[in-house]
Amino acid sequence: MSHLQEMASSKSLMNLLTFIFGSAIGFFVCYLLFSIILEEQVKTQPHVLHNDPHGQHSADTDNNQLQGQMNFNADAGQHKDEDKKVAEGLYHKVKILCWVMTGPQNLEKKAKHVKATWAQRCNKVLFMSSEENKDFPTVGLETKEGRDQLYWKTIKAFQYVYDHYFDDADWFMKADDDTYVILDNLRWLLSKYSPEQPIYFGRRFKPYVKQGYMSGGAGYVLSKEALKRFVAAFKTNKCSHSSSIEDLALGKCMEIINVEAGDSRDTSGRETFHPFVPEHHLIRGYLPKTFWYWNYNYYPAVEGPGCCSDLAVSFHYVDSVTMYHLEYLIYHLRPYGYLYRYNPDSSKNPEEQSKNEALEDNQKLKQKISEG
């Protein structure tokens, strides 16, 4: 009897151990499965930026990086018949110096792709870093790196530009190393204004500053007079390094020195400077309504295709791969059969203008066919 009890007890112990072992295995397998599922969900969810207008750059942790540059001018022969007279005329008429905010850690990851794409269309381009790099090259501002240093870098960069290149340009553009800028569209916008006017342009936000201030990520451009006043303001103590929040602090200074926050929207009232990549603006529902962006815009923000001007100037949080996507789509992709796009400066009714342009195109096409 005692022997039977011992056997029963031993069997119960084995069953218990088997149950515990099986449960542990089951929990471990479930943990692995849930981890994989959650990881895939994070990968596939839209990458919405921090709910903070002054949060870290999303691309600082970007894994979507390229190892080398690409030459997008290799197919220049395909565009040999393209009429660039207007753009080339504005290039000489509206001179823009671009300076790009970067750092030693970003030269290979980001800055070299800016250098290979849109920066080539600046009249002059400078890469501003905490330390000098003669090979890239970069201007060393002798500051530390980090978000708390951005306004110091901005102040010193504009001072450097004023001291060395003030007479070489009419307008002075600040951009990040993850911003893509369409310089030709910016020149069109600036051609309506005098560089001697105290004004600056960008994506206009409204909190904290009465006249609003320009988003740092979307980039902003100062007139010659605005730059002159900005640099002088630190010598006379009208402005100071009162905050580490670069765009807001600069906006407050601009208001103090009577530099106007300009309206950068196009003739149809659409925004030209954009603080995010195109899909964040173009796709409805991409940015949740609780996101800070909806409360920061100086002008009512539009969601969907109406968000963005056909003459867009900039997009922000652009990784190295998207930098080349935009370069191709903007400067290389062409729909067949279009002689030119709409004229934004026309005072005609848009519908009437479209009809007239269609008639003109038909006449030109008929003329080409008859000549052929």
Side-chain angles (χ1 to χ4, degrees), residues 281-333:
H281 297 283
L282 291 167
I283 308 303
R284 290 190 178 95
Y286 210 109
L287 298 175
K289 291 300 180 182
T290 54
F291 199 49
W292 62 264
Y293 169 77
W294 302 110
N295 295 320
Y296 267 66
N297 285 279
Y298 192 88
Y299 307 105
V302 177
E303 189 177 21
C307 67
C308 311
S309 170
D310 283 4
L311 294 171
V313 168
S314 70
F315 295 98
H316 186 217
Y317 293 115
V318 178
D319 61 40
S320 55
V321 172
T322 309
M323 198 73 68
Y324 292 103
H325 288 171
L326 290 173
E327 183 77 2
Y328 168 71
L329 292 172
I330 294 168
Y331 285 100
H332 295 266
L333 179 64

Side-chain angles (χ1 to χ4, degrees), residues 53 105 143 198 205 282 330 336:
Q105 75 283 5
T143 62
F205 286 164
L282 291 167
I330 294 168
Y336 178 77

